[in-house]
Structure formats: structure tokens, C-alpha cells
Amino acid sequence: MNKQIHTKHQYLQVGCKVITVSDTRSEENDKSGKLMIDLLEQENHSIQKYVIVRDEKEQIVHEIMTGVQSAEINCILLNGGTGISPRDITIEAIKPLLTKELDGFGELFRMLSYTEDIGSSAILSRAIAGTINNTVIFCTPGSTGAVRLAMNKLILPELSHVVSELHK
């Protein structure tokens, strides 16, 4: 298989906002949000804002749109609130806001979850990515395993490329 490698990216350091969606997490016990931040910083991306919001559509939308309107933020990463319980509404909050959806993100995340991590439970995994104008949005389940998988296998390898494409 011949893979074309994209090596020239204008946005080698991406300004990021990390949002944890949870009714129970705090800064002291938010392992997934901290993992996102640590992995982004290891790749020299900058954390412009970190926030924890409750599973409330208005709060999620407000934090996303605040990030989209900030010139320093090129990427918003959310974790949590993606399950199928009645309180899990992150996907429903994000999807109507997207200018373009990156279908491959959710598809590949579920495939990797199935083959590398959780097996058939992957059918319960709701992950989504897309753009709102010139900002890329990634949304993962809230478990640290899901965050680590999405960040290492999908988000970090393509983050500079995606942001560069949005600013062509």
C-alpha cells in the first residue's frame, strides 16, 4: 500500500480548547480531560482553555461556540456524554452545529475500539468529529481508554493536517 505523507503543515502548534462533559467530574478527578491536555502538550500544541460542563445542551453549545469565536482556538476536543443514557446528549448538542462532519473519525474510532479494546461493546460508542467554520471539533467517549485510543491513533497524527486544510 502506497501512503502519501503530508509533511508540510502551517499549523504545527494548534491552539486547543478541552471540554469535559460530566455531571460528576471535577478538576481533581477528571483523568480523561487531563490525559487529553497531557497528550496535546507532549505534541507541542497549546491549551487555550479547559472547562468541565454538566450534561446540559445549553452549556455544551455555549462552550463550543465560545471556542469557535476565539481567534486563538483552532481545535475543540470534548470527552464524555456520548453514551446512550438519557443524560448523554453531547452528540445531539454538537451535530446540528457542524458545518461539515468528518464521518471517518467515528467509523475508525469504532473499528479501532472493536479490534483493539472493547470488542462488540463498540456498537455503543458514539464519537463524532467535524468542523464549525475554521475550527475542528473532536468528541470522544469519556473513558481514559477511549481518549487515549482516539488521541494516539486518530487525532494527534492528523491534527496539524486538519487545521492546515481548514486555513487554506
Side-chain angles (χ1 to χ4, degrees), residues 1-7 108 111-112 153 157-158 161:
M1 180 191 310
N2 185 14
K3 292 184 180 181
Q4 182 179 6
I5 307 290
H6 296 275
T7 57
L108 286 170
M111 184 211 53
L112 290 168
K153 296 284 186 164
E158 292 300 322
H161 180 202

Side-chain angles (χ1 to χ4, degrees), residues 54-157:
R54 295 182 56 79
D55 287 283
E56 300 289 342
K57 184 176 181 177
E58 297 78 22
Q59 290 182 28
I60 297 166
V61 169
H62 172 76
E63 288 299 335
I64 290 170
M65 296 315 294
T66 301
V68 167
Q69 293 165 6
S70 171
E72 293 82 34
I73 295 173
N74 302 109
C75 175
I76 300 172
L77 301 103
L78 296 97
N79 72 87
T82 63
I84 61 170
S85 78
R87 291 286 299 153
D88 293 323
I89 49 91
T90 303
I91 303 299
E92 289 73 20
I94 293 171
K95 202 165 190 169
L97 303 174
L98 297 178
T99 307
K100 294 183 180 180
E101 191 170 338
L102 300 174
D103 296 321
F105 176 76
E107 294 164 358
L108 286 170
F109 177 79
R110 282 180 287 282
M111 184 211 53
L112 290 168
S113 294
Y114 176 79
T115 58
E116 295 184 17
D117 196 20
I118 61 173
S120 61
S121 292
I123 66 168
L124 298 172
S125 245
R126 299 193 316 146
I128 191 171
T131 64
I132 301 173
N133 302 325
N134 289 337
T135 305
V136 64
I137 314 294
F138 292 102
C139 180
T140 71
S143 75
T144 54
V147 167
R148 184 174 287 107
L149 178 70
M151 294 294 289
N152 289 333
K153 296 284 186 164
L154 300 171
I155 297 170
L156 292 172

Side-chain angles (χ1 to χ4, degrees), residues 16-27:
C16 301
K17 179 173 186 174
V18 174
I19 303 170
T20 294
V21 179
S22 174
D23 287 337
T24 59
R25 292 195 185 157
S26 66
E27 285 191 37

Side-chain angles (χ1 to χ4, degrees), residues 1-44:
M1 180 191 310
N2 185 14
K3 292 184 180 181
Q4 182 179 6
I5 307 290
H6 296 275
T7 57
K8 201 170 188 178
H9 303 300
Q10 178 182 356
Y11 291 86
L12 295 176
Q13 184 183 62
V14 175
C16 301
K17 179 173 186 174
V18 174
I19 303 170
T20 294
V21 179
S22 174
D23 287 337
T24 59
R25 292 195 185 157
S26 66
E27 285 191 37
E28 293 77 38
N29 66 10
D30 181 19
K31 293 179 184 175
S32 295
K34 288 180 181 164
L35 178 60
M36 277 184 164
I37 290 168
D38 290 346
L39 292 171
L40 288 163
E41 288 177 338
Q42 286 173 22
E43 295 293 319
N44 297 314

